[in-house]
Amino acid sequence: MPRLRSILSLILVLVTTLLVSCSSPQAAVPTTYAPEKVAQLQVYVQPIEEIRGRMSELQTLIAKKNWVDAGTLIHGPFGDLRKDMLALSRSLLPKDQKQATEVAKEVFSHFERLDAAARSRNSEVAEIQFREALKDFDAFLNLIPKAS
Ligand code: ZN
């Protein structure tokens, strides 16, 4: 049955071709930021950088042991930081998302401990948590691609 054999081999070729094309990566996950994406991220990062600019204000309040104003700053102007940082993390490339989310959560946990220290008027803990928050804050900002 030469005819059937050639049909079978033809089918085999088709199946093999199909399998190879299926196993090759289709729409590849992007690994670099397109210029439009970078521009969009600058808009998202702006309110976060504004808060970063006010960290020295918080530092002064801690140094002066002005716990009431320190607490007001954390709960007021700094209040949207969590939402803004997590939204920005989700806008990053998959390879950066997880790290950005983790670093953002670090920042909040330091702010929470700083807030608790402010309420119990513990300067030492407040200063340590402030420094840690600042370090993680900058680590977060370093993950965001900058417009060249
Ligand atoms: Zn930390």
Side-chain angles (χ1 to χ4, degrees):
M1 304 183 293
R3 181 117 188 266
L4 182 61
R5 199 167 296 158
S6 69
I7 288 170
L8 281 175
S9 64
L10 182 66
I11 289 170
L12 190 68
V13 166
L14 284 173
V15 167
T16 309
T17 310
L18 197 68
L19 283 177
V20 168
S21 65
C22 283
S23 62
S24 67
Q26 297 285 306
V29 176
T31 52
T32 55
Y33 291 93
E36 311 83 65
K37 183 74 177 175
V38 174
Q40 184 195 34
L41 290 172
Q42 304 317 299
V43 177
Y44 292 157
V45 82
Q46 212 193 320
I48 299 168
E49 280 179 335
E50 251 174 63
I51 296 301
R52 176 62 184 82
R54 297 190 70 176
M55 284 293 274
S56 58
E57 234 176 280
L58 182 59
Q59 190 172 24
T60 305
L61 293 171
I62 294 167
K64 286 181 176 169
K65 304 187 199 304
N66 187 340
W67 306 119
V68 174
D69 287 352
T72 304
L73 192 60
I74 292 170
H75 291 281
F78 285 34
D80 282 338
L81 195 60
R82 182 188 292 258
K83 175 174 68 68
D84 290 344
M85 274 185 162
L86 291 178
L88 180 56
S89 301
R90 282 192 297 272
S91 308
L92 296 176
L93 292 178
K95 68 181 175 75
D96 297 330
Q97 267 182 34
K98 193 168 173 266
Q99 201 189 349
T101 305
E102 274 169 19
V103 177
K105 283 178 180 166
E106 274 282 316
V107 175
F108 314 140
S109 77
H110 292 305
F111 273 128
E112 274 160 22
R113 280 176 236 160
L114 175 54
D115 187 40
R119 273 184 277 121
S120 58
R121 297 162 188 271
N122 187 332
S123 289
E124 202 185 333
V125 173
E127 274 163 21
I128 290 168
Q129 293 305 322
F130 176 84
R131 278 198 300 274
E132 290 295 316
L134 196 64
K135 209 167 65 184
D136 290 327
F137 205 139
D138 287 337
F140 179 86
L141 288 175
N142 281 334
L143 288 169
I144 315 304
K146 303 287 178 293
S148 48

